[in-house]
Amino acid sequence: MTPTLSLRQVEAVAPDAAPDLTDMANAVRMLAVAGVEAAKSGHPGMPMGMADVATVLFTRVMRLDPSRPDWPDRDRFVLSAGHGSMLQYALHHLLGYADMPIEELKRFRQLGAKAAGHPEYGHALGIETTTGPLGQGITTAVGMALAERHLNARFGDALVDHRTYVIAGDGCLMEGISQEAIDLAGQLRLARLVVLWDDNGISIDGPTRLSTRTDQAARFAASDWAVETVDAYDHEAIEAALTRAQASDRPTLIACRSVIGYGAPTKAGTCGVHGAPLGAEEAQGAAQALGWDSPPFTVPDDIRDAWRAVAEAGRGHREAWERRLAAHPARADFQRVMAAEPEVAEALAAYRQELVATRPKMATRKASQLVLGVVNATTDLTVGGSADLTHSNLTQTKGMEVLDAGDYAGRYIHYGIREHAMAAVMNGLAVHGGIIPYGGTFLVFSDYARGAIRLSALMGVRVIHVLTHDSIGLGEDGPTHQPVEHLAMLRATPNLHVFRPADAVETAECWELALTDTATPSALCLSRQDLPTLRRDADFNRSAAGAYILRETAGPRDATLLATGSEVALAVEAAERLATEGVAVAVVSMPCWDLFARQPAANRALVLGAAPRIGVEAAVRFGWDRWLGDQGAFIGMEGFGASGPAADLYRHFGITVDAIMAAVRARVAHA
Amino acid sequence: MTPTLSLRQVEAVAPDAAPDLTDMANAVRMLAVAGVEAAKSGHPGMPMGMADVATVLFTRVMRLDPSRPDWPDRDRFVLSAGHGSMLQYALHHLLGYADMPIEELKRFRQLGAKAAGHPEYGHALGIETTTGPLGQGITTAVGMALAERHLNARFGDALVDHRTYVIAGDGCLMEGISQEAIDLAGQLRLARLVVLWDDNGISIDGPTRLSTRTDQAARFAASDWAVETVDAYDHEAIEAALTRAQASDRPTLIACRSVIGYGAPTKAGTCGVHGAPLGAEEAQGAAQALGWDSPPFTVPDDIRDAWRAVAEAGRGHREAWERRLAAHPARADFQRVMAAEPEVAEALAAYRQELVATRPKMATRKASQLVLGVVNATTDLTVGGSADLTHSNLTQTKGMEVLDAGDYAGRYIHYGIREHAMAAVMNGLAVHGGIIPYGGTFLVFSDYARGAIRLSALMGVRVIHVLTHDSIGLGEDGPTHQPVEHLAMLRATPNLHVFRPADAVETAECWELALTDTATPSALCLSRQDLPTLRRDADFNRSAAGAYILRETAGPRDATLLATGSEVALAVEAAERLATEGVAVAVVSMPCWDLFARQPAANRALVLGAAPRIGVEAAVRFGWDRWLGDQGAFIGMEGFGASGPAADLYRHFGITVDAIMAAVRARVAHA
């Protein structure tokens, strides 16, 4: 299947014919080659191999309006094999996306270029989600396709009637997360999801037979997908498969038998063309083999016109949709949902007053469920779920119907035991728009979801992770289930709110912050064990400052205790008992470090105080020194936990009121 | 399939019959019930459902000697569904493992009990690997089965001839890592791996149909597994399937159609029996239904004897093997390999001298490959690999043959694009014994492997992660590929060496430390970009102290620069240029924080010095304050990276010699 000059035999005899799909695909292909050559860096193999498939998809099937890349009812395209980014940039250029002129393609992979190394959400127009880490795109696409069905169930075909297309490579299908995606998509019968697999038999190390013998068609079929196989250069076959996919009642895999680096005279079909420029000679040879005689970055006008005509057709689809929207009785409601601004402040304020009045003793996971009861009754934007720990995470609230193939209007997703897919699907729900997703698992299993949590932070999307059982306080399940380093791990991640509320009031405050920050995902770390209500005031959302003085001293402080979550109550009790000894100890609750770090330095200094500081958290010290200062001490974990009842563990690891008191006394005596 | 009194009808008419497999299984079942009842915590459903399968496996098939749980040629058993730990503790008790008397079962889940919440490697005898986080067990078992084939290829059937058995639940099969495991096991034709799937149709949230419709038999078959389906209470069928599995040339899945909580009169077959004690009444009802009339924690002598006979048979197998070993010409070599003490010190010392003499400029990933060339030629214990980034991670060395189904004696594994499985398989290779595994991926994709990396740290096994492309220095691939929080994330993990060597000499030192610490896994974080050789001495492994003074000042220090990896060269250059201005700056290289943290406080104080300190690392500050002190400053990343050439990125993010000099000047002026 090595390409030769014969690739363009037909056109060669009729050079003046109107541009056909092959011409249009070659424009994509050669722009990709040129971009990688200019950058001296990048991945030409995938764009060259899949240019025809992408061209058929974008010209014959997809509905996009490049002049309005955010049109809500557009089809979604996800380049799960994100290293092939030049494929997408070339398409965007040819379709006339405003931010992708030829100059940007020439600046591929340069600092600040729209044509970044991998497609980045929010960086260039029309990039639906950030890809590059393999398997994320296909799984995020499941979320997009699910969002479409959910909103369709609410608003009908007139307003919500689009499809989600994915190009995925062997890498995406080898990553475990893809299995979670496939299984979920089959379960949810996401018939509007189509995955085009770049089946080129090559991965970076060589032929895929080095590392896999899986029959992918059988694998997808096992999860109830429709499966098609096509020649990646047979335009009619590709279109026919896509047409059948549109009519399917199940998600569809289209295995596209392709040649990596299609057109490259000596490197096509080898791993050498995956991730390195072709080199001038090979690039020229490819042009020749493909019958492409324009210089790099140049596209003949007729081919350019043919691509622009596709864009025009897309504009027509968008305008027709806008007419439907304008006349639709649910117009205002649809626009409200797509704006996704939850109006929960009033209800949560009232609820916090109730909490201060009743001062319940409960686990913060339970407090979270009660807050969610208020939230889910107040706004219809939230879609919750859990990775098979519903009754532990307490993520489902009264009247919340299950969202599944039988009822896409439901608002609760059984994600199964698939933490990674849950996080990536939530990314898809969020970037699709119209939904605020939250999902639960144990804090320790945020490990499994790291890849997708990081992407939500990088993209800056509002996804809320409900991470319960947040310390040794979970007890008997032991060290495999007890997070000790996870707070640090999450806090180290840029643009991620890590909340660890101390009581029910703070839980409500943190939820409000998570729901209203549209550009930052949140991790709510919640206790399994009961905690007293410490707060006596609720008018002001004190968690918004990240840390605040929960208990101040009458006179000068002898020491300041800094604590989070379940350990704040220990700090308060220690402070109260020390007060009877005449030792003046303030207690600072720190539910969210990153918000505190953004406070003015003077405010931070006032909160932290000049007295010796002692941090208390049932986790490792890593990261705490920032707040403790040179004179600081820390009471927490020094290693992994153990299996046993929670109270025994706190004693065993020395995280007790007595230990705090002793540490304060030592500090005060020393000062 | 709800069990009733009729379960024991046959036995009821012949009460004096010798104990059969049902009796033996019921002993397991009722011990598990009793343990959970006593703990008031735990998971009775799985042990009750799978007791018969486990009993057939342990009595009819497996070769274990409870008196010598570490006998090298024993069969391996992995309870991938680790929450069912009481199943294994009950088996161990009945088989007479020395550390599992009835008192331990009574202390199930109490602090310090051998019968911990989940099976913990190194905590109780005969636990081959720590399980609980789902999907880890089945994947670690792939590593064990591969280790067996590898050592068999080297030492033959007389010494290495065992099998690996896994009990996995629906959760294990839903986790994405299981797909990576299945695909790899099929690819590697691990015919001695048998997975017994507890196919009970129930997960925590309810019926598995809530979240999956995957045909597991078809899924495994798609990856070239043999598949069997049996009734989980039909002993003959189970044994027959296991016998066929032993003859298969492929790994085998045995789907065991089971009833969760088998025997519980009202709760069997429901999710209510998964993770909570039965309660006294239901437990009594189960005993009645099963015809079990002994009190809790009591096992009739005849049943106990039957189990002890199994143990005796196992002792026979072990003794026969020991006789074979004693007479075997390769005995000493086999023992040397199983001891797994690599004798690389001399070769590495010589190599370091060579480096100091030649002072090459090279990326630390390249330096790592050269070190590995020395290591792999000096010891035969190492088995390397990469998650499809061999030529980026530089993990393969000359003459290293591929380890696959065609040549199990090879020493290089193409793990495919499966970072999580790679890490878990390496755990399996390590706990099996006789192998020191290392494997490569990009540092940023350690995210995908977190679940298994954490387990290696918790178990304390020697697994070496080669994590290249360790900062924005990788350049154009952009923020999805540029780690900024990963050093912090890994450093926060207890019992994990995080090495970030500054040059080729430190790389060799860190490799030596990683290879020789048998109780701690290592992450070697290596640069893509070239770095100068900074070290001029090589006699002493200075990295062993974690941090050391690379450049000292003649007189008192004006400032101390603390740096790691690729930024140490920047610090040295800044110090040298500042010296010409009369500013005395020491440079401390910190290749391994956790080793430095273990140094005596006085040593640490001497290294860090009293002068103002400035940290330099192309990563987030999180964790650095511990070393910087109140007067400290930090030059690094404040958020995610960007796509562009590396040099542009360093300038853009202000990680430059000039920036370091400016920071020092500001500190010195201030002091």
Side-chain angles (χ1 to χ4, degrees), chain B residues 105-317:
Chain B
L105 269 53
K106 292 180 181 172
R107 293 182 62 227
F108 178 50
R109 292 189 153 229
Q110 304 311 301
L111 186 57
K114 291 289 177 185
H118 289 81
E120 290 179 36
Y121 175 81
H123 182 75
L125 297 173
I127 305 296
E128 303 285 3
T129 186
T130 296
T131 53
L134 295 173
Q136 296 293 333
I138 185 174
T139 317
T140 304
V142 170
M144 296 179 191
L146 182 59
E148 193 270 349
R149 283 296 87 188
H150 176 66
L151 296 170
N152 172 275
R154 297 182 58 185
F155 294 104
D157 289 346
L159 298 187
V160 183
D161 178 23
H162 54 272
R163 294 166 193 278
T164 303
Y165 297 94
V166 178
I167 290 184
D170 291 298
C172 294
L173 300 194
M174 282 200 217
E175 292 287 1
I177 189 176
S178 67
Q179 180 64 24
E180 303 182 13
I182 293 165
D183 198 352
L184 261 177
Q187 165 71 13
L188 295 165
R189 286 206 173 263
L190 298 175
R192 283 155 176 266
L193 176 65
V194 178
V195 173
L196 297 144
W197 169 33
D198 179 15
D199 179 16
N200 59 30
I202 295 291
S203 71
I204 295 177
D205 276 4
T208 51
R209 66 172 179 272
L210 284 176
S211 57
T212 184
R213 67 169 69 211
T214 292
D215 176 343
Q216 295 291 354
R219 175 191 173 203
F220 278 75
S223 291
D224 211 9
W225 284 55
V227 177
E228 301 270 355
T229 302
V230 300
D231 176 332
Y233 312 101
D234 181 339
H235 303 143
E236 299 314 312
I238 297 164
E239 187 174 356
L242 284 164
T243 302
R244 283 191 297 274
Q246 294 198 332
S248 172
D249 62 349
R250 295 173 294 161
T252 299
L253 171 76
I254 304 179
C256 306
R257 293 284 165 79
S258 66
V259 176
I260 191 169
Y262 183 84
T266 70
K267 294 184 179 174
T270 75
C271 58
V273 79
H274 165 83
L278 294 185
E281 196 179 335
E282 184 84 0
Q284 209 160 17
Q288 207 170 14
L290 297 161
W292 185 262
D293 49 16
S294 303
F297 296 114
T298 306
V299 178
D301 285 343
D302 57 343
I303 298 179
R304 206 172 267 289
D305 291 344
W307 274 107
R308 290 298 166 89
V310 174
E312 270 310 303
R315 177 198 294 263
H317 290 302

Side-chain angles (χ1 to χ4, degrees), chain A residues 212-469:
Chain A
T212 183
R213 67 169 69 212
T214 292
D215 176 342
Q216 295 291 354
R219 174 190 174 205
F220 277 76
S223 291
D224 210 9
W225 285 54
V227 177
E228 302 270 353
T229 302
V230 300
D231 177 333
Y233 312 102
D234 181 339
H235 304 142
E236 299 314 311
I238 297 162
E239 187 175 353
L242 284 164
T243 302
R244 282 192 296 275
Q246 293 196 334
S248 171
D249 62 349
R250 294 175 293 159
T252 299
L253 171 76
I254 304 180
C256 305
R257 293 283 165 80
S258 67
V259 177
I260 192 170
Y262 182 83
T266 70
K267 294 183 180 174
T270 74
C271 59
V273 78
H274 165 82
L278 293 184
E281 195 179 336
E282 183 84 0
Q284 210 159 16
Q288 207 170 14
L290 298 163
W292 185 262
D293 49 17
S294 303
F297 295 116
T298 305
V299 178
D301 285 345
D302 57 342
I303 298 178
R304 205 172 268 289
D305 290 345
W307 273 106
R308 290 297 165 90
V310 174
E312 271 309 302
R315 178 198 293 264
H317 289 304
R318 191 257 302 167
E319 288 172 349
W321 178 84
E322 283 186 344
R323 285 191 295 273
R324 289 200 298 278
L325 176 67
H328 202 285
R331 181 177 60 84
D333 198 38
F334 179 80
Q335 288 171 329
R336 175 188 63 78
V337 166
M338 293 309 292
E341 288 164 10
E343 289 165 355
V344 294
E346 207 175 309
L348 286 179
Y351 180 62
R352 292 206 305 266
Q353 293 298 347
E354 193 185 316
L355 288 173
V356 172
T358 57
R359 300 174 60 78
K361 181 169 180 175
M362 63 171 78
T364 47
R365 64 175 171 146
K366 180 64 187 171
S368 166
Q369 187 181 38
L370 295 177
V371 173
L372 276 172
V374 174
V375 167
N376 291 336
T378 306
T379 179
D380 54 3
L381 294 168
T382 43
V383 170
S386 167
D388 199 45
L389 289 169
T390 293
H391 306 296
S392 295
N393 304 141
L394 302 178
T395 34
Q396 195 169 18
T397 61
K398 203 179 280 185
M400 220 176 187
E401 299 295 331
V402 171
L403 194 178
D404 64 10
D407 177 15
Y408 288 118
R411 288 171 61 194
Y412 193 78
I413 301 171
H414 285 292
Y415 284 104
I417 300 115
R418 306 184 186 99
E419 299 80 9
H420 204 175
M422 178 171 71
V425 166
M426 289 200 290
N427 289 347
L429 295 173
V431 298
H432 179 281
I435 290 170
I436 302 175
Y438 70 84
T441 185
F442 290 159
L443 174 55
V444 82
F445 297 136
S446 61
D447 275 350
Y448 279 52
R450 263 294 301 173
I453 292 175
R454 181 174 207 256
L455 273 190
S456 65
L458 179 55
M459 293 196 283
V461 293
R462 179 175 43 187
V463 166
I464 304 172
H465 299 273
V466 180
L467 303 171
T468 70
H469 296 59

